[in-house]
């Protein structure tokens, strides 16, 4: 099964974990295996939300994954990155630079979603809404963009 990467960082914003599970479910339905690259705290929250691994069964360290992408150890046809701060933007910019053949979807959320989306100067498809607790404002656009991205791979 072809793998797709979901890139997440600091779990400070409550909508992040449900978004990961939603995206993973979408990818599974599309015939892709979701792989989550996360820091330890974010990984633990997703695992706690999906204890039986219905949505995600593969997890990797975020920084190691960036290194593996850079040295060509791994590649993914699709990378979905969840961004709510400058660190997320930086990790995603790096992934865009080292994995230019991947389709990149950047999901901007949190108070500064629009500002961060405007700062993203790398090639990607953007979905943005200043959500912290309610995913609803992101969902219609996110599903449309994910359908487009999956069709590209």
């Amino acid at each position: 099964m072809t793998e797709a990467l979901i890139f997440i960082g600091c779990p400070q914003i409550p909508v992040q974990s449900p978004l990961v599970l939603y995206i993973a479910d979408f990818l599974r339905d599309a015939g892709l295996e979701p792989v989550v690259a996360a820091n330890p705290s974010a990984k633990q929250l997703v695992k706690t939300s999906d204890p039986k691994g219905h949505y995600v069964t593969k997890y990797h360290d975020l920084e190691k994954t960036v290194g593996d992408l850079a040295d060509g150890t791994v590649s993914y046809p699709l990378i979905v990155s969840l961004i709510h701060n400058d660190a997320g933007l930086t990790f995603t910019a790096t992934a865009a630079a080292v994995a230019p053949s991947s389709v990149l979807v950047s999901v901007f959320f949190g108070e500064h979603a629009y500002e961060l989306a405007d700062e993203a100067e790398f090639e990607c498809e953007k979905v943005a809404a200043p959500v912290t607790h309610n995913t609803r404002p992101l969902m219609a656009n996110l599903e449309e963009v994910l359908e487009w991205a999956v069709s590209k791979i």
Side-chain angles (χ1 to χ4, degrees):
M1 182 180 283
T2 302
E3 295 179 335
L5 184 64
I6 303 171
F7 226 38
I8 60 173
C10 173
Q12 179 183 6
I13 308 292
V15 296
Q16 181 170 267
S17 291
L19 285 171
V20 169
L21 296 179
Y22 177 85
I23 292 165
D25 182 62
F26 184 95
L27 295 174
R28 282 202 174 280
D29 285 351
L32 300 167
E33 181 171 6
V35 175
V36 171
N39 70 29
S41 297
K43 174 184 168 184
Q44 188 56 45
L45 284 175
V46 174
K47 279 186 153 189
T48 300
S49 300
D50 184 23
K52 292 190 170 97
H54 293 292
Y55 302 101
V56 181
T57 58
K58 290 187 177 183
Y59 294 88
H60 297 298
D61 176 77
L62 182 63
E63 291 185 22
K64 182 175 182 336
T65 300
V66 171
D68 291 345
L69 286 167
D71 68 19
T73 304
V74 297
S75 65
Y76 299 92
L78 173 61
I79 300 172
V80 181
S81 185
L82 279 66
I83 304 167
H84 69 87
N85 59 23
D86 288 336
L89 190 62
T90 300
F91 273 110
T92 306
T94 302
V98 300
S101 63
S102 297
V103 173
L104 178 59
V105 174
S106 295
V107 181
F108 298 90
F109 62 101
E111 288 180 27
H112 306 290
Y114 296 134
E115 293 91 341
L116 286 168
D118 288 343
E119 289 178 31
E121 296 178 355
F122 46 85
E123 185 68 32
C124 70
E125 190 67 25
K126 298 177 186 179
V127 178
V131 299
T132 56
H133 294 92
N134 179 5
T135 60
R136 173 86 43 214
L138 275 172
M139 299 315 290
N141 289 338
L142 178 59
E143 188 163 321
E144 182 180 323
V145 169
L146 289 174
E147 287 174 4
W148 168 86
V150 167
S151 76
K152 290 297 208 185
I153 60 173

